[in-house]
mmCIF file of all heavy atoms in Angstrom:
data_model
loop_
_atom_site.group_PDB
_atom_site.id
_atom_site.type_symbol
_atom_site.label_atom_id
_atom_site.label_comp_id
_atom_site.label_asym_id
_atom_site.label_seq_id
_atom_site.Cartn_x
_atom_site.Cartn_y
_atom_site.Cartn_z
ATOM 1 N N LEU O 122 152.533 -85.027 143.205
ATOM 2 C CA LEU O 122 152.317 -83.626 143.592
ATOM 3 C C LEU O 122 153.578 -82.791 143.345
ATOM 4 O O LEU O 122 153.487 -81.655 142.884
ATOM 5 C CB LEU O 122 151.883 -83.530 145.054
ATOM 6 C CG LEU O 122 151.386 -82.164 145.505
ATOM 7 C CD1 LEU O 122 150.110 -81.769 144.758
ATOM 8 C CD2 LEU O 122 151.131 -82.165 147.013
ATOM 9 N N ALA O 123 154.734 -83.352 143.619
ATOM 10 C CA ALA O 123 156.002 -82.635 143.380
ATOM 11 C C ALA O 123 156.195 -82.356 141.893
ATOM 12 O O ALA O 123 156.626 -81.260 141.510
ATOM 13 C CB ALA O 123 157.178 -83.431 143.942
ATOM 14 N N ILE O 124 155.894 -83.331 141.059
ATOM 15 C CA ILE O 124 155.994 -83.134 139.609
ATOM 16 C C ILE O 124 155.046 -82.022 139.170
ATOM 17 O O ILE O 124 155.427 -81.128 138.423
ATOM 18 C CB ILE O 124 155.718 -84.455 138.857
ATOM 19 C CG1 ILE O 124 156.846 -85.456 139.106
ATOM 20 C CG2 ILE O 124 155.522 -84.199 137.359
ATOM 21 C CD1 ILE O 124 156.523 -86.877 138.692
ATOM 22 N N PHE O 125 153.820 -82.070 139.675
ATOM 23 C CA PHE O 125 152.843 -81.032 139.331
ATOM 24 C C PHE O 125 153.316 -79.670 139.833
ATOM 25 O O PHE O 125 153.235 -78.672 139.112
ATOM 26 C CB PHE O 125 151.469 -81.369 139.914
ATOM 27 C CG PHE O 125 150.384 -80.457 139.430
ATOM 28 C CD1 PHE O 125 149.708 -80.738 138.255
ATOM 29 C CD2 PHE O 125 150.051 -79.311 140.131
ATOM 30 C CE1 PHE O 125 148.720 -79.885 137.784
ATOM 31 C CE2 PHE O 125 149.057 -78.458 139.676
ATOM 32 C CZ PHE O 125 148.396 -78.743 138.497
ATOM 33 N N ALA O 126 153.800 -79.614 141.060
ATOM 34 C CA ALA O 126 154.291 -78.348 141.636
ATOM 35 C C ALA O 126 155.459 -77.793 140.823
ATOM 36 O O ALA O 126 155.537 -76.579 140.577
ATOM 37 C CB ALA O 126 154.707 -78.554 143.090
ATOM 38 N N ALA O 127 156.336 -78.664 140.371
ATOM 39 C CA ALA O 127 157.457 -78.224 139.543
ATOM 40 C C ALA O 127 156.969 -77.684 138.203
ATOM 41 O O ALA O 127 157.501 -76.679 137.701
ATOM 42 C CB ALA O 127 158.446 -79.372 139.336
ATOM 43 N N GLN O 128 155.967 -78.312 137.633
ATOM 44 C CA GLN O 128 155.394 -77.831 136.374
ATOM 45 C C GLN O 128 154.751 -76.452 136.540
ATOM 46 O O GLN O 128 154.665 -75.690 135.594
ATOM 47 C CB GLN O 128 154.355 -78.823 135.837
ATOM 48 C CG GLN O 128 154.953 -80.114 135.369
ATOM 49 C CD GLN O 128 153.911 -81.195 135.098
ATOM 50 O OE1 GLN O 128 152.784 -81.140 135.573
ATOM 51 N NE2 GLN O 128 154.314 -82.210 134.321
ATOM 52 N N GLN O 129 154.333 -76.143 137.766
ATOM 53 C CA GLN O 129 153.752 -74.829 138.069
ATOM 54 C C GLN O 129 154.822 -73.842 138.549
ATOM 55 O O GLN O 129 154.494 -72.743 139.000
ATOM 56 C CB GLN O 129 152.674 -74.960 139.163
ATOM 57 C CG GLN O 129 151.604 -75.982 138.889
ATOM 58 C CD GLN O 129 150.932 -75.807 137.553
ATOM 59 O OE1 GLN O 129 150.464 -74.726 137.231
ATOM 60 N NE2 GLN O 129 150.879 -76.873 136.764
ATOM 61 N N ASN O 130 156.078 -74.257 138.469
ATOM 62 C CA ASN O 130 157.218 -73.453 138.939
ATOM 63 C C ASN O 130 157.117 -73.107 140.418
ATOM 64 O O ASN O 130 157.555 -72.046 140.851
ATOM 65 C CB ASN O 130 157.390 -72.182 138.098
ATOM 66 C CG ASN O 130 157.715 -72.504 136.663
ATOM 67 O OD1 ASN O 130 158.537 -73.364 136.382
ATOM 68 N ND2 ASN O 130 157.043 -71.836 135.750
ATOM 69 N N ALA O 131 156.548 -74.002 141.207
ATOM 70 C CA ALA O 131 156.384 -73.763 142.635
ATOM 71 C C ALA O 131 157.538 -74.319 143.467
ATOM 72 O O ALA O 131 157.752 -73.873 144.590
ATOM 73 C CB ALA O 131 155.069 -74.372 143.119
ATOM 74 N N ILE O 132 158.241 -75.306 142.923
ATOM 75 C CA ILE O 132 159.402 -75.867 143.624
ATOM 76 C C ILE O 132 160.510 -76.156 142.616
ATOM 77 O O ILE O 132 160.231 -76.429 141.451
ATOM 78 C CB ILE O 132 159.062 -77.177 144.393
ATOM 79 C CG1 ILE O 132 158.642 -78.292 143.415
ATOM 80 C CG2 ILE O 132 158.017 -76.938 145.461
ATOM 81 C CD1 ILE O 132 158.667 -79.671 144.021
ATOM 82 N N PRO O 133 161.768 -76.125 143.079
ATOM 83 C CA PRO O 133 162.871 -76.580 142.227
ATOM 84 C C PRO O 133 162.948 -78.113 142.308
ATOM 85 O O PRO O 133 163.416 -78.665 143.300
ATOM 86 C CB PRO O 133 164.100 -75.907 142.844
ATOM 87 C CG PRO O 133 163.727 -75.669 144.273
ATOM 88 C CD PRO O 133 162.229 -75.520 144.319
ATOM 89 N N PHE O 134 162.436 -78.781 141.291
ATOM 90 C CA PHE O 134 162.263 -80.231 141.334
ATOM 91 C C PHE O 134 163.565 -80.988 141.561
ATOM 92 O O PHE O 134 163.609 -81.923 142.366
ATOM 93 C CB PHE O 134 161.590 -80.720 140.049
ATOM 94 C CG PHE O 134 161.197 -82.165 140.099
ATOM 95 C CD1 PHE O 134 160.158 -82.584 140.906
ATOM 96 C CD2 PHE O 134 161.873 -83.107 139.327
ATOM 97 C CE1 PHE O 134 159.788 -83.924 140.953
ATOM 98 C CE2 PHE O 134 161.499 -84.441 139.371
ATOM 99 C CZ PHE O 134 160.459 -84.853 140.189
ATOM 100 N N ALA O 135 164.624 -80.597 140.886
ATOM 101 C CA ALA O 135 165.906 -81.321 141.027
ATOM 102 C C ALA O 135 166.375 -81.281 142.479
ATOM 103 O O ALA O 135 166.837 -82.299 143.022
ATOM 104 C CB ALA O 135 166.956 -80.746 140.095
ATOM 105 N N ASN O 136 166.264 -80.139 143.116
ATOM 106 C CA ASN O 136 166.665 -80.026 144.521
ATOM 107 C C ASN O 136 165.766 -80.878 145.420
ATOM 108 O O ASN O 136 166.238 -81.543 146.348
ATOM 109 C CB ASN O 136 166.601 -78.570 144.998
ATOM 110 C CG ASN O 136 167.619 -77.698 144.302
ATOM 111 O OD1 ASN O 136 168.551 -78.169 143.672
ATOM 112 N ND2 ASN O 136 167.412 -76.393 144.407
ATOM 113 N N TRP O 137 164.456 -80.851 145.136
ATOM 114 C CA TRP O 137 163.518 -81.630 145.929
ATOM 115 C C TRP O 137 163.819 -83.132 145.804
ATOM 116 O O TRP O 137 163.849 -83.847 146.807
ATOM 117 C CB TRP O 137 162.074 -81.339 145.491
ATOM 118 C CG TRP O 137 161.062 -82.081 146.295
ATOM 119 C CD1 TRP O 137 160.513 -81.702 147.479
ATOM 120 C CD2 TRP O 137 160.515 -83.368 145.993
ATOM 121 N NE1 TRP O 137 159.651 -82.660 147.931
ATOM 122 C CE2 TRP O 137 159.631 -83.692 147.048
ATOM 123 C CE3 TRP O 137 160.674 -84.263 144.955
ATOM 124 C CZ2 TRP O 137 158.917 -84.885 147.061
ATOM 125 C CZ3 TRP O 137 159.966 -85.452 144.966
ATOM 126 C CH2 TRP O 137 159.096 -85.760 146.013
ATOM 127 N N VAL O 138 164.058 -83.581 144.579
ATOM 128 C CA VAL O 138 164.361 -85.002 144.364
ATOM 129 C C VAL O 138 165.649 -85.391 145.076
ATOM 130 O O VAL O 138 165.704 -86.431 145.750
ATOM 131 C CB VAL O 138 164.449 -85.337 142.854
ATOM 132 C CG1 VAL O 138 165.053 -86.718 142.628
ATOM 133 C CG2 VAL O 138 163.071 -85.264 142.219
#
Side-chain angles (χ1 to χ4, degrees):
L122 191 64
I124 292 166
F125 188 87
Q128 291 169 340
Q129 307 307 308
N130 297 316
I132 64 164
F134 188 70
N136 294 345
W137 182 86
V138 168

